Amino acid sequence: MKVTVWDTYVTKKDGTIMHFDIVAPETEKETIVIHNYGKEYLKSKGQSGQPLTATECRRCHVREVEPQWEADIKNQGYFIIEMENCN
């Protein structure tokens, strides 16, 4: 399966920058859907309400899915790769 990686930087409530990638099926082209995935993730991290728009989240590249991502993508539509300040 091919997936698209969306490079995402969000300013947290404490002012630090949270960097994570949203990985979704290549067939998902609607940015509003991708942004909603990011908002779900932010909520799970206690960061609900933080801005997440095209300014913070951009389509980066397409690649083959990694096996460890498949279950989350099949169950919830996306996978999050935590990069920086995601705790």
Side-chain angles (χ1 to χ4, degrees), residues 36-73:
N36 284 336
Y37 292 156
K39 289 174 183 178
E40 285 178 26
Y41 171 71
L42 289 172
K43 184 177 179 181
S44 77
K45 293 297 189 171
Q47 298 297 318
S48 59
Q50 296 305 99
L52 196 152
T53 66
T55 302
E56 292 82 23
C57 180
R58 296 177 188 221
R59 187 176 188 275
C60 187
H61 62 276
V62 174
R63 60 169 291 170
E64 285 294 325
V65 69
E66 294 288 333
Q68 64 269 26
W69 305 345
E70 284 192 84
D72 281 355
I73 291 171

Side-chain angles (χ1 to χ4, degrees), residues 11-17 47 50 85 87:
T11 302
K12 293 169 59 174
K13 293 176 182 179
D14 68 5
T16 60
I17 303 296
Q47 298 297 318
Q50 296 305 99
N85 297 318
N87 295 322

Side-chain angles (χ1 to χ4, degrees), residues 3-14:
V3 293
T4 302
V5 178
W6 298 76
D7 197 27
T8 309
Y9 295 85
V10 172
T11 302
K12 293 169 59 174
K13 293 176 182 179
D14 68 5

